[in-house]
Amino acid sequence: MPKYILKRFLYLIFVLFGVSLIVFTLLYVTPGDPAKIILGEAATPEALEEVRESLGLNDSYIVRYGNYIKNIVLHHDLGDSYVTGRPVLTEIMEVFPNTLSLATTSILIAIVLGVTLGIISAVKQYSWIDNFVMVFALIGTSAPIFWIGILMILLFSVTLNWLPPSGYGTIQQMIMPAVALGLQSTAMIARMTRSSMLEMLRQDYIKTARAKGQKEIVVILKHVFRNALIPIVTVIGLQFGVLLGGAMLTEVVFSIPGLGRLMIDSIKMRDYPVVQGGVLFMATCFSLVNLMVDLIYALVDPKISKV
């Protein structure tokens, strides 16, 4: 197990290095002068040059990237915002709890509904329940999150006046964003649960368990569902990572002060350090989720840790 964890952790380091290189390169070649963002369009050429020199913008690509990585590794410093002048990590950590709570609530909703619907659909294959779940899954995977959010605002806020259309902090304000964000994940988890369960239901050991007279609920939950867990855990882990990034549009639609909203605002203002730090932070979260999924694999099936 320790070797398995170490190997996965080394993979994580290489992934983050690759993400940092790609993001830094894209922002390096993106048009725009950070000095003008800081001082404004009316700044004199001398003042602009002084700011460029102080920020190291006149250095070569290699030097700038090397300094960026060195500051991250040695000082845990993602730079300072061009707009506010505050550390990027501080800006991120102030809003990330909102994004994390939204994504966590959404994935919990998706797990409960998706797994339940998937199990019922597999057990009742080709019934009207199975057809309903498949239609729901098709709609859930096809409809964009922001479109679902807008429709929910029109229905539950404008027409019925049941829920507040924006903001964050109360249970009422969390319901629509969490459901809108989790609907797509619910559909994905339901489809994977159904597919994995159907594959297990056809195995010979299931017929043997039934022939021994075990109750159907025991067969389904203890034998079928337990052996179908690995692909389900995979989808849940990936979907949680997707939700952390997918919360971006949801936060904009529902005016939630989260990491996604911060990223969108920073892109509009060309606040490159915040954009760069935000993408790297999201990539880190996504990679850590994948690492946790790998560790859960080893718990579900100990043979995996020996690979």
Side-chain angles (χ1 to χ4, degrees):
M1 178 67 79
K3 290 183 179 180
Y4 179 77
I5 296 174
L6 179 61
K7 183 166 60 174
R8 290 297 183 269
F9 188 74
L10 290 176
Y11 290 161
L12 171 64
I13 293 176
F14 283 113
V15 167
L16 294 180
F17 177 78
V19 170
S20 68
L21 180 62
I22 293 172
V23 175
F24 185 89
T25 303
L26 290 175
L27 293 179
Y28 181 82
V29 300
T30 300
D33 188 356
K36 289 184 178 180
I37 298 173
I38 297 173
L39 299 179
E41 296 292 336
T44 63
E46 293 78 12
L48 292 174
E49 185 62 27
E50 183 179 351
V51 171
R52 294 191 193 102
E53 187 65 30
S54 65
L55 294 176
L57 298 177
N58 293 330
D59 296 333
S60 65
Y61 168 83
I62 299 296
V63 173
R64 288 177 60 183
Y65 181 68
N67 291 332
Y68 180 69
I69 293 298
K70 182 179 70 175
N71 289 332
I72 292 177
V73 174
L74 298 181
H75 308 292
H76 307 99
D77 182 15
L78 296 175
D80 297 329
S81 169
Y82 290 157
V83 177
T84 64
R86 303 173 64 202
V88 171
L89 190 58
T90 302
E91 296 265 356
I92 292 174
M93 295 311 297
E94 284 184 354
V95 297
F96 181 67
N98 293 335
T99 299
L100 181 61
S101 63
L102 175 60
T104 302
T105 304
S106 299
I107 196 64
L108 290 176
I109 293 173
I111 292 172
V112 173
L113 292 180
V115 171
T116 302
L117 291 175
I119 292 175
I120 296 174
S121 180
V123 174
K124 303 292 185 181
Q125 188 182 15
Y126 303 130
S127 66
W128 69 268
I129 298 177
D130 185 26
N131 294 332
F132 170 78
V133 172
M134 288 299 96
V135 171
F136 168 78
L138 179 62
I139 295 175
T141 53
S142 303
I145 295 175
F146 71 90
W147 181 73
I148 295 174
I150 292 173
L151 290 182
M152 293 183 71
I153 290 174
L154 291 175
L155 176 60
F156 296 108
S157 298
V158 178
T159 304
L160 301 176
N161 197 27
W162 287 355
L163 299 170
S166 61
Y168 198 73
T170 65
I171 296 178
Q172 290 79 7
Q173 290 174 325
M174 183 183 289
I175 292 176
M176 285 199 298
V179 172
L181 185 60
L183 184 61
Q184 196 172 77
S185 296
T186 301
M188 294 292 293
I189 293 172
R191 292 180 64 176
M192 180 54 68
T193 302
R194 176 184 184 273
S195 176
S196 186
M197 291 278 292
L198 287 176
E199 183 178 351
M200 292 300 116
L201 281 169
R202 300 187 182 100
Q203 301 299 316
D204 291 337
Y205 70 88
I206 301 300
K207 297 177 182 177
T208 303
R210 285 172 172 162
K212 289 181 177 180
Q214 291 190 352
K215 295 181 179 180
E216 187 67 13
I217 187 68
V218 175
V219 173
I220 296 300
L221 296 181
K222 184 178 180 180
H223 299 287
V224 180
F225 180 67
R226 183 175 180 179
N227 288 282
L229 265 180
I230 287 183
I232 298 172
V233 169
T234 303
V235 171
I236 291 174
L238 291 175
Q239 286 302 310
F240 184 62
V242 169
L243 289 179
L244 288 172
M248 184 178 296
L249 293 177
T250 306
E251 289 171 358
V252 173
V253 171
F254 291 97
S255 299
I256 298 173
L259 181 56
R261 180 75 179 273
L262 176 65
M263 293 279 289
I264 294 293
D265 293 341
S266 299
I267 291 172
K268 291 178 181 178
M269 295 183 290
R270 300 197 177 193
D271 194 351
Y272 296 147
V274 176
V275 176
Q276 194 167 263
V279 172
L280 187 60
F281 188 85
M282 283 186 175
T284 302
C285 293
F286 195 94
S287 299
L288 288 175
V289 170
N290 284 339
L291 178 62
M292 291 176 60
V293 171
D294 287 339
L295 297 180
I296 293 174
Y297 283 170
L299 294 176
V300 174
D301 187 356
K303 291 184 293 184
I304 294 178
S305 62
K306 300 177 182 179
V307 177

